[in-house]
Amino acid sequence: ITSVNFKSSLLITLNAAIVASVIFKSDILHSDNNIILILLSINLVAISLLSLSSMIWVIKSIWPNVKSASTSKTKASSPSLIFFGSVSNNFNAESYSLAISQTSPSDYEKDLAIQVHEVATITDIKFKNISTASKLTTINLLALAPFIFIKIAQAIGPLLCQG
């Protein structure tokens, strides 16, 4: 989980920097060739959309769906004694203590097994969301390459022609 949180921070920071740079530097686009200007503009839009999409996937991984099957309104069994949402919504301190003392070891093990499965499912979703965000960021870095190449060519082209 720690690695997912680190990757989330890294991806958000990188994509925020990319989209901010694109927005703040888009006004310096200039070219005598309208086709290059149009291609640069399309490239910048693509870069912005890829950055924003990646950040959305990161946010989805930060706040995954933590609704528990054990807190469902339609369930036939008693509320979970392990899932934090169930504990906080269905018990006060005294009733929770009483419920724990009245729960058989086999019922507690069943609840624990269900909660382990739910945590594993949430973790799997988090990793899949981060993976999607990472792929979008990789594509975004590739989309930056033509923009960087054109901007470097525009900057050093006149110098090369003069020399």
Side-chain angles (χ1 to χ4, degrees):
I1 300 292
T2 302
S3 69
V4 171
N5 293 339
F6 175 76
K7 290 175 186 175
S8 297
S9 300
L10 182 65
L11 287 169
I12 285 286
T13 302
L14 176 62
N15 282 292
I18 290 170
V19 79
S21 298
V22 165
I23 290 170
F24 293 126
K25 294 295 184 179
S26 63
D27 63 334
I28 64 168
L29 288 179
H30 60 84
S31 177
D32 296 334
N33 186 334
N34 282 340
I35 293 174
I36 290 177
L37 188 58
I38 290 170
L39 290 175
L40 278 174
S41 298
I42 291 170
N43 188 251
L44 291 180
V45 169
I47 290 166
S48 297
L49 291 175
L50 285 165
S51 286
L52 293 173
S53 296
S54 180
M55 287 190 283
I56 289 168
W57 281 100
V58 170
I59 290 168
K60 286 177 68 169
S61 79
I62 294 170
W63 287 287
N65 180 4
V66 292
K67 293 201 183 300
S68 170
S70 57
T71 60
S72 170
K73 301 281 188 214
T74 60
K75 66 173 179 35
S77 62
S78 58
S80 173
L81 297 174
I82 299 170
F83 176 62
F84 69 93
S86 175
V87 172
S88 66
N89 291 322
N90 295 301
F91 302 98
N92 61 32
E94 188 176 320
S95 65
Y96 181 71
S97 176
L98 181 63
I100 287 285
S101 68
Q102 294 176 345
T103 301
S104 71
S106 65
D107 285 344
Y108 191 79
E109 286 176 6
K110 181 181 177 185
D111 189 9
L112 181 61
I114 290 168
Q115 297 311 314
V116 167
H117 179 267
E118 290 182 14
V119 169
T121 300
I122 290 168
T123 304
D124 185 54
I125 291 168
K126 286 175 74 81
F127 276 99
K128 286 178 181 173
N129 288 344
I130 288 297
S131 176
T132 300
S134 296
K135 289 173 186 169
L136 288 168
T137 300
T138 300
I139 294 167
N140 198 13
L141 293 174
L142 294 173
L144 276 167
F147 176 74
I148 292 169
F149 176 76
I150 290 170
K151 293 312 289 176
I152 290 172
Q154 285 179 336
I156 65 170
L159 295 174
L160 293 175
C161 290
Q162 292 173 358

